[in-house]
Amino acid sequence: MTYCVGLVLDRGIVMMSDTRTNAGVDNISVFKKMVNWEVPGERVLTMMTSGNLATTQALVSILDERTKAPDERNPTLLTVPSMFQAATLVGQTLRNVIQDTNNISQSSGFSATIILGGQIAGSPPRLFNIYPEGNFIEAGDDTPFFQTGETKYGRPIIVRAYDPAMSFEEAIKLLLVSFDSTIKANLSVGLPLDVTVYAKDSLRVTQEFRITQEDEYFNVISNGWGAALKVAFSSLPDFSFGETDTAP
Amino acid sequence: MTYCVGLVLDRGIVMMSDTRTNAGVDNISVFKKMVNWEVPGERVLTMMTSGNLATTQALVSILDERTKAPDERNPTLLTVPSMFQAATLVGQTLRNVIQDTNNISQSSGFSATIILGGQIAGSPPRLFNIYPEGNFIEAGDDTPFFQTGETKYGRPIIVRAYDPAMSFEEAIKLLLVSFDSTIKANLSVGLPLDVTVYAKDSLRVTQEFRITQEDEYFNVISNGWGAALKVAFSSLPDFSFGETDTAP
């Protein structure tokens, strides 16, 4: 499994992905699931992948090769004029990769889902969730974030604490709490975590870094969140049997 | 879907189940998923059901009818000498109900999973998770609770705040937080909630009640938890970009 989250904030986009891949519990590896394409001053595209690793690696390689050997007939992520067309290109490429494999195998295990975020000069930042069929949806004011992979454990805290006006620092803290809850509950999601921060209209990757097991701040959050949750829990009034009607 | 949790505490057992059943999003109903059998002073058995409603209703009806027209060849939940044999009886009955349906339909949609807890005089309280195949596992010191159904959203708070020494009042508060997180994230789990509290060695149902949408305490918890989470979240130190190595 995998866990990836992309958050749209008033001031930009924050993306975080884990790095654990597994084919059974006895075949666990670390692979980066986040890739950035950047033309400083003109565009930044950040993609996070979840699903079959052969599929997602092929997708990244094809998209990346095209940017290096551009062909007039083939648009590339570095030349498409809009985020919508970037999402379309990623979706079509993803669908083709999956179909190629499906022509040989009837298995449905080669699927993948993509989160694509970024900005191209002249338009605001946008965030897309791209499906194996190649179609996609865009984050909006009502649903300003996307999760893929093992999404459930870490969802309640995002639903409760997300605020579009939050700072990048707060957003990273929120995502670390969400990832830590997931990692504590599910073996298929694991450290290190990759992070890309994109400040609106900067048209450059603002920050790109990796958080490892040894990261001091991650351990402060991981240990502190357990304690903070217990304090929060204690702060709520206790249940009293008198308050609720008791059935016979 | 469904959400049921059974918690073993030092002082007894607390069980909570939701009541929402759905066959598609346009066919939602309320059904009780919790049933108690009691011989005061001798035994208390509490069962929570998740899965196909026709299967679980048949299971409950068969088990219940047997207790009313006992037959020397057929053990009943009111006569088996141990919780282990009660779990065996529930498991065998469950497997038979599922097999009967599967003989007619090849669908795998008639499965169900059961949480069974309680105490029979002469032995300590026990809690079992019973599978559609009829076999089961028992809660122990390492894993002192079972969840069935839509388990993921509400798991992190149980993992973090559960303590076997907690009072019944605290345990109910914990379960309400866990259920509220689930209800907020997933349409297939809904109020009202049924609760059974069993005090160790009492051999009587200690408390049995229903928590509805109008329940004042539930609303205090539901609203209060959001606020308490935000306080907890703010109490953690903010991330600082200086602390983590930044990749080029």
Side-chain angles (χ1 to χ4, degrees), chain A residues 22 28 83 89 104 131 136 160 212:
Chain A
N22 71 303
I28 292 178
M83 284 299 297
L89 173 60
I104 297 161
Y131 298 106
F136 48 84
R160 294 262 24 185
T212 65

Side-chain angles (χ1 to χ4, degrees), chain A residues 18-40:
Chain A
D18 85 318
T19 51
R20 182 163 290 178
T21 66
N22 71 303
V25 289
D26 55 353
N27 188 352
I28 292 178
S29 310
V30 174
F31 282 95
K32 192 167 183 182
K33 302 172 189 175
M34 180 182 281
V35 54
N36 285 310
W37 286 274
E38 183 185 25
V39 180

Side-chain angles (χ1 to χ4, degrees), chain B:
Chain B
M1 210 62 171
T2 284
Y3 185 37
C4 302
V5 185
L7 285 184
V8 180
L9 305 174
D10 293 345
R11 63 195 73 208
I13 295 176
V14 179
M15 318 256 275
M16 190 179 286
S17 57
D18 85 318
T19 51
R20 181 163 291 177
T21 67
N22 70 303
V25 289
D26 56 352
N27 187 353
I28 292 178
S29 309
V30 175
F31 282 95
K32 192 167 183 182
K33 302 172 189 175
M34 180 183 281
V35 55
N36 285 310
W37 286 275
E38 182 185 26
V39 180
E42 203 273 323
R43 72 181 61 205
V44 169
L45 295 168
T46 304
M47 192 168 94
M48 295 186 294
T49 62
S50 66
N52 179 267
L53 186 63
T55 296
T56 59
Q57 287 196 346
L59 172 70
V60 172
S61 295
I62 292 169
L63 291 169
D64 206 48
E65 282 198 354
R66 278 201 197 163
T67 65
K68 285 164 186 163
D71 171 331
E72 277 179 19
R73 292 165 304 170
N74 282 327
T76 85
L77 286 178
L78 300 187
T79 60
V80 289
S82 69
M83 284 298 296
F84 176 81
Q85 291 195 30
T88 303
L89 173 59
V90 171
Q92 284 173 347
T93 311
L94 174 63
R95 183 175 57 200
N96 290 344
V97 170
I98 295 173
Q99 280 178 345
D100 280 356
T101 317
N102 282 354
N103 287 343
I104 296 161
S105 159
Q106 295 309 308
S107 161
S108 60
F110 301 105
S111 189
T113 303
I114 306 298
I115 295 177
L116 176 72
Q119 185 174 20
I120 293 175
S123 302
R126 296 174 76 174
L127 182 73
F128 297 94
N129 192 10
I130 304 172
Y131 298 105
E133 293 78 7
N135 56 357
F136 48 84
I137 57 174
E138 182 177 0
D141 290 344
D142 294 322
T143 300
F145 64 88
F146 288 129
Q147 303 169 285
T148 58
E150 193 60 72
T151 62
K152 295 184 180 184
Y153 304 104
R155 188 176 180 85
I157 184 63
I158 298 181
V159 169
R160 293 243 107 120
Y162 166 83
D163 178 349
M166 71 201 321
S167 68
F168 288 136
E169 288 82 357
E170 286 173 310
I172 289 170
K173 181 165 82 167
L174 172 59
L175 290 180
L176 285 181
V177 169
S178 176
F179 272 74
D180 180 56
S181 296
T182 308
I183 289 168
K184 282 232 170 10
N186 193 295
L187 283 182
S188 75
V189 177
L191 294 161
L193 308 176
D194 289 311
V195 185
T196 293
V197 175
Y198 173 70
K200 185 178 180 179
D201 298 334
S202 69
L203 299 168
R204 273 173 180 73
V205 172
T206 308
Q207 295 277 351
E208 180 187 3
F209 54 92
R210 174 165 279 197
I211 294 170
T212 65
Q213 187 84 56
E214 291 75 37
D215 186 273
E216 202 178 314
Y217 182 71
F218 177 78
N219 286 298
V220 166
I221 292 296
S222 179
N223 299 327
W225 184 241
L229 269 187
K230 284 182 188 171
V231 172
F233 182 68
S234 306
S235 77
L236 295 179
D238 270 340
F239 178 77
S240 151
F241 283 108
E243 285 176 21
T244 305
D245 288 338
T246 304

